[in-house]
Amino acid sequence: MNTDPKKRLARHIVGLPKSGIREFFDIVSTRQGVISLAIGEPDFDTPWHIREAAMFSLEQGATHYTGNAGLMALRRAIADYVQANFGGTYDPAHEVLVTVGASEGLDVALRAILNPGDEVLYHEPCFVSYGPEIAMAHGVPVPVETRAEDNFRLSVEALEAKVTPRTKALVVNFPNNPTGAVLEREDVEAIAEFALRHDLLVIADEIYAELTWGGRRHVSFASIPALHDRLILHHGYSKAWAMTGFRMGYVCAPAWMMDTILKIHQYAIMCASTASQYAALEAMRQPAEDMAPMLRAYEQRRNFLRAAFAEAGIPMHNPAGAFYAFPNISRFGLSSREFAVRLLDAENVAVVPGTAFGACGEGFVRCSYATGMEQLKEAAKRIARFVGTL
Ligand code: PMP
């Protein structure tokens, strides 16, 4: 008996929505000379000494696999960095895993903890991958709304409204993509207490940890000792070190959990790229020096955008972290998508419709300021001209 082979794909994957960002990029790619505020990666190149370390490792013959969890020297450096900057204590031998970007870390963590039908809370607007990744791991994604009025901070009341006896885990991402929101210590403590009370595992994606503005310091979920045994911490080199192409990230988790996470990584990935691991090891040598010029530039650009939007009459909450602004465009009477498409048409400036990050992103657009200041100035001028016509 012949069946249609096209019907033999995995149903839970076929049913996933396409990324809203992708759809918009397809439109952008048909045009010439666009100023793009749509990208989610640093405009800086990786600091030279880090690139050199990767090249040198190849020269030295580091062309083989490393251990599954990654180079021991790198895991030690990661444990030290996490201790110093996040306040969490992890044993480099058993509690640190080097991954192919934070993306792989999120995937292996979700696959390690979810049984079919387990519900996972995550807050929206959010990074486009969380919902699909939860679904790919046979979990049930349960979005929790955050709102501009609260500076897009995640409240325990909103979480309480969505938690059920089937909830297994909570995904949190601060500083946040796409809103630029950060949490205060009291928020982190309240969310941790919520997770403990409902017996939830916590997946903390803190990939933008170093990118906080106005003299703030990032408050990590790893700084809460009571959470340690149920926390999976995610970080990586893509953002603060401008190393997206190296595909380097890591997961920190208690040894009992890491055992299971490591099995998936071992069978699916074997180990992260060896040359990239040597680059990451070099990136751990003088992180503050490497990041300083980039962080200074991002903060200046953020300050510029806040002032420019205020002057153009575009309301915006305070984006205190990451490199995204998330202005509210609802007063102009267009949907997010219409606003983005018409802005592109009229002024050749690309921004991402807020709905790409969840339904509650309606009324907003994401503007990345991982873009040079000159381009940002020109984009702001064009956006002001565009909203003047609405
Ligand atoms: N988490 C968030 C919130 C992100 O914005 C990104 C990249 N856009 C990632 C994870 C993935 O980063 P990578 O895989 O490059 O480490």
Side-chain angles (χ1 to χ4, degrees):
M1 186 184 69
N2 277 333
T3 54
D4 179 359
K6 294 198 184 95
K7 292 200 174 132
R8 300 189 65 83
L9 292 167
R11 268 190 308 278
H12 71 298
I13 307 291
V14 173
L16 290 177
K18 287 221 174 85
S19 158
I21 291 201
R22 267 295 124 224
E23 188 236 23
F24 194 68
F25 272 112
D26 289 345
I27 304 176
V28 174
S29 69
T30 61
R31 301 180 62 100
Q32 300 278 308
V34 175
I35 299 184
S36 181
L37 309 187
I39 32 161
E41 68 168 321
D43 55 318
F44 296 100
D45 293 330
T46 308
W48 177 249
H49 68 103
I50 297 176
R51 291 188 259 166
E52 225 169 24
M55 292 186 270
F56 189 60
S57 76
L58 294 171
E59 261 176 36
Q60 294 291 299
T63 60
H64 304 271
Y65 295 130
T66 66
N68 293 130
L71 293 169
M72 193 58 212
L74 176 56
R75 284 186 278 150
R76 271 197 213 104
I78 290 169
D80 289 348
Y81 185 84
V82 167
Q83 172 85 70
N85 294 282
F86 291 68
T89 305
Y90 293 94
D91 169 6
H94 306 290
E95 300 186 319
V96 178
L97 169 67
V98 179
T99 56
V100 181
S103 302
E104 190 229 335
L106 290 163
D107 178 50
V108 290
L110 286 163
R111 286 203 274 162
I113 64 174
L114 295 184
N115 288 310
D118 285 345
E119 294 176 4
V120 182
L121 301 172
Y122 64 103
H123 50 96
E124 280 187 343
C126 72
F127 178 43
V128 292
S129 297
Y130 297 142
E133 277 182 342
I134 293 163
M136 288 194 304
H138 301 280
V140 180
V142 180
V144 177
E145 195 174 327
T146 58
R147 301 176 320 157
E149 301 87 283
D150 308 325
N151 256 336
F152 292 105
R153 284 155 68 183
L154 175 62
S155 75
V156 168
E157 296 73 57
L159 288 166
E160 290 286 5
K162 293 289 180 83
V163 72
T164 77
R166 290 177 302 283
T167 311
K168 167 77 71 73
L170 164 66
V171 179
V172 271
N173 167 232
F174 293 98
N176 181 259
N177 172 11
T179 63
V182 301
L183 293 182
E184 305 294 338
R185 173 153 293 281
E186 74 237 35
D187 301 318
V188 173
E189 283 171 358
I191 293 166
E193 194 275 326
F194 164 84
L196 284 162
R197 190 155 29 85
H198 291 281
D199 191 20
L200 306 183
L201 302 176
V202 176
I203 294 185
D205 177 355
E206 302 190 6
I207 193 158
Y208 294 99
E210 293 81 3
L211 284 70
T212 54
W213 318 128
R216 293 167 174 280
R217 253 182 86 85
H218 171 65
V219 185
S220 173
F221 280 88
S223 69
I224 310 278
L227 213 56
H228 181 84
D229 207 34
R230 54 180 70 237
L231 178 69
I232 312 178
L233 176 71
H234 297 268
H235 195 31
Y237 297 87
S238 286
K239 312 296 175 177
W241 282 269
M243 288 175 65
T244 43
F246 287 86
R247 310 305 305 119
M248 270 286 104
Y250 54 87
V251 175
C252 298
W256 65 267
M257 213 181 321
M258 190 58 96
D259 265 6
T260 304
I261 295 173
L262 189 58
K263 275 189 222 169
I264 305 171
H265 174 81
Q266 190 171 54
Y267 292 129
I269 307 290
M270 194 78 93
C271 68
S273 150
T274 302
S276 291
Q277 291 191 56
Y278 278 102
L281 185 58
E282 175 66 16
M284 289 315 223
R285 213 163 49 76
Q286 46 163 49
E289 287 88 331
D290 287 341
M291 288 173 201
M294 296 191 266
L295 299 186
R296 242 189 334 266
Y298 291 138
E299 183 151 19
Q300 276 167 2
R301 297 169 187 179
R302 177 202 82 130
N303 294 346
F304 165 76
L305 262 193
R306 280 188 85 187
F309 286 150
E311 199 176 320
I314 306 173
M316 183 166 71
H317 72 288
N318 178 15
F323 40 56
Y324 307 105
F326 205 60
N328 183 336
I329 49 84
S330 58
R331 61 182 292 214
F332 302 110
L334 301 175
S335 72
S336 297
R337 195 173 180 284
E338 282 165 348
F339 185 95
V341 169
R342 282 184 50 183
L343 173 63
L344 185 65
D345 252 359
E347 295 286 356
N348 242 6
V349 173
V351 298
V352 184
T355 42
F357 310 99
C360 66
E362 185 53 88
F364 299 85
V365 292
R366 188 188 77 173
C367 305
S368 161
Y369 47 90
T371 308
M373 193 57 139
E374 285 317 304
Q375 285 199 307
L376 211 54
K377 282 186 175 159
E378 179 59 27
K381 203 161 77 187
R382 295 187 192 183
I383 291 171
R385 193 161 58 202
F386 171 67
V387 298
T389 66
L390 297 177

